[in-house]
Amino acid sequence: MNKTLVVSALSAALLLAGCQSVNTTSGGAVGVERKQYMFSMLSSQEVDQMYAQSYQKTVGEATTAGVLDKTSTDAKRIQAIANRLIAQAPNFRPDSAQWKWEVNLIKSDELNANCGPGGKIIFYTGLIDSLKLTDDEIAAVMGHEIAHALREHGREAMSKAYGMEMAKQGAGALFGLGKDRLALADTVANYGMTLPNSRSNENEADLIGLELAARAGYNPNAAITLWNKMSKASEGSPPEFMSTHPASTSRIASLQAAIPKVMPLYEKAPKS
């Protein structure tokens, strides 16, 4: 057999052995049950730590620039909505009750929001102001982002990035991984964290986010008005959020189909 093929086959075999099948969350009323494959030498704790460092850098830079908003009405809205959603996260993932959740609002025209691994949430005022978001619509955005963190979509993307990097470096990289693991993590972190999510990951975040919002007492129908606003905003120069969260008729149709599943949860939930 060709030497290159032998190395490639060995790399593939070792990569397969290095992956573990997990299901990061329970299915919930919306039924998200897909098995995920994570690189076993890339732990949840390691990913959380890497992202926490990046998050603190962003918050620190915003503080220095005088754009970190802790006192406005919107800052208080964001914190209150986050508190209600975070309280529901253990329904999907019990260990999230021990996460070190953080919520920050940054004054910027940027139309963006995210929740990174370990529960690190950032909202930008541009998203709220430009789209004139209601509390229910903010909850739809935030629930979606929290769902990405609960499902560890960032770690999943990084696991794939590890595999691609190792395939390029060959089997030798795998044997030396113990020593160079953190260096390789630095190489793939930005790649794994900044790529647009796959269609299946986006659908999972939509569904889990919908249920989180409903359980927290926010009207799930707001997800439809939210994405209609997003679609309209992307007609000109697409906002940053839309580069990784493209709106589509299929997305809205999937949400509409799931709303009857979560409406009973919303009807039973306290509304404040």
Side-chain angles (χ1 to χ4, degrees):
M1 183 181 287
N2 181 284
K3 182 178 179 181
T4 301
L5 293 178
V6 171
V7 171
S8 296
L10 181 57
S11 296
L14 287 169
L15 280 171
L16 185 60
C19 285
Q20 55 187 353
S21 173
V22 300
N23 201 346
T24 52
T25 61
S26 62
V30 291
V32 173
E33 303 285 359
R34 178 181 65 90
K35 289 289 185 183
Q36 299 164 275
Y37 291 90
M38 305 290 190
F39 192 55
S40 59
M41 295 184 72
L42 181 66
S43 69
S44 299
Q45 293 74 21
E46 191 171 7
V47 173
D48 291 355
Q49 183 178 11
M50 283 190 286
Y51 189 81
Q53 291 172 351
S54 174
Y55 183 84
Q56 292 307 324
K57 180 181 177 182
T58 298
V59 171
E61 290 171 349
T63 302
T64 300
V67 295
L68 189 67
D69 183 352
K70 286 289 193 181
T71 59
S72 72
T73 300
D74 276 343
K76 293 173 183 176
R77 287 175 74 200
I78 291 295
Q79 186 66 62
I81 293 167
N83 290 345
R84 286 168 59 176
L85 292 169
I86 290 167
Q88 300 303 320
N91 285 293
F92 284 95
R93 184 170 178 148
D95 69 318
S96 66
Q98 282 74 52
W99 285 6
K100 296 179 180 179
W101 293 88
E102 292 186 50
V103 186
N104 282 289
L105 179 65
I106 293 177
K107 290 182 280 189
S108 168
D109 291 337
E110 190 174 341
L111 275 67
N112 206 0
N114 59 72
C115 177
K120 302 294 189 285
I121 301 169
I122 287 182
F123 246 76
Y124 295 86
T125 56
L127 186 63
I128 301 170
D129 296 339
S130 296
L131 300 186
K132 296 180 172 56
L133 297 184
T134 65
D135 284 4
D136 291 319
E137 289 167 343
I138 290 173
V141 175
M142 195 180 293
H144 174 100
E145 292 304 310
I146 288 173
H148 278 306
L150 295 176
R151 288 290 287 172
E152 293 192 65
H153 287 152
R155 181 181 170 216
E156 190 173 14
M158 289 179 72
S159 294
K160 292 177 183 177
Y162 264 105
M164 294 175 70
E165 188 68 20
M166 288 178 189
K168 288 189 286 187
Q169 292 185 21
L174 296 172
F175 292 114
L177 184 59
K179 180 179 67 176
D180 299 329
R181 181 161 56 105
L182 293 178
L184 185 56
D186 288 339
T187 300
V188 303
N190 288 334
Y191 174 74
M193 294 288 194
T194 59
L195 276 181
N197 282 291
S198 68
R199 184 173 297 179
S200 65
N201 285 4
E202 281 296 289
N203 184 58
E204 288 174 358
D206 281 348
L207 296 178
I208 291 176
L210 189 74
E211 183 168 338
L212 282 173
R215 286 181 177 275
Y218 294 103
N219 191 335
N221 288 295
I224 307 303
T225 60
L226 167 70
W227 287 108
N228 282 331
K229 287 182 178 181
M230 288 288 190
S231 295
K232 188 173 182 180
S234 67
E235 289 174 357
S237 177
E240 178 67 21
F241 191 85
M242 299 304 291
S243 68
T244 53
H245 300 75
S248 66
T249 54
S250 61
R251 160 174 250 147
I252 292 173
S254 176
L255 285 164
Q256 287 174 325
I259 285 174
K261 297 178 183 178
V262 302
M263 190 57 74
L265 298 171
Y266 167 66
E267 291 170 348
K268 290 191 300 182
K271 305 301 186 286
S272 63

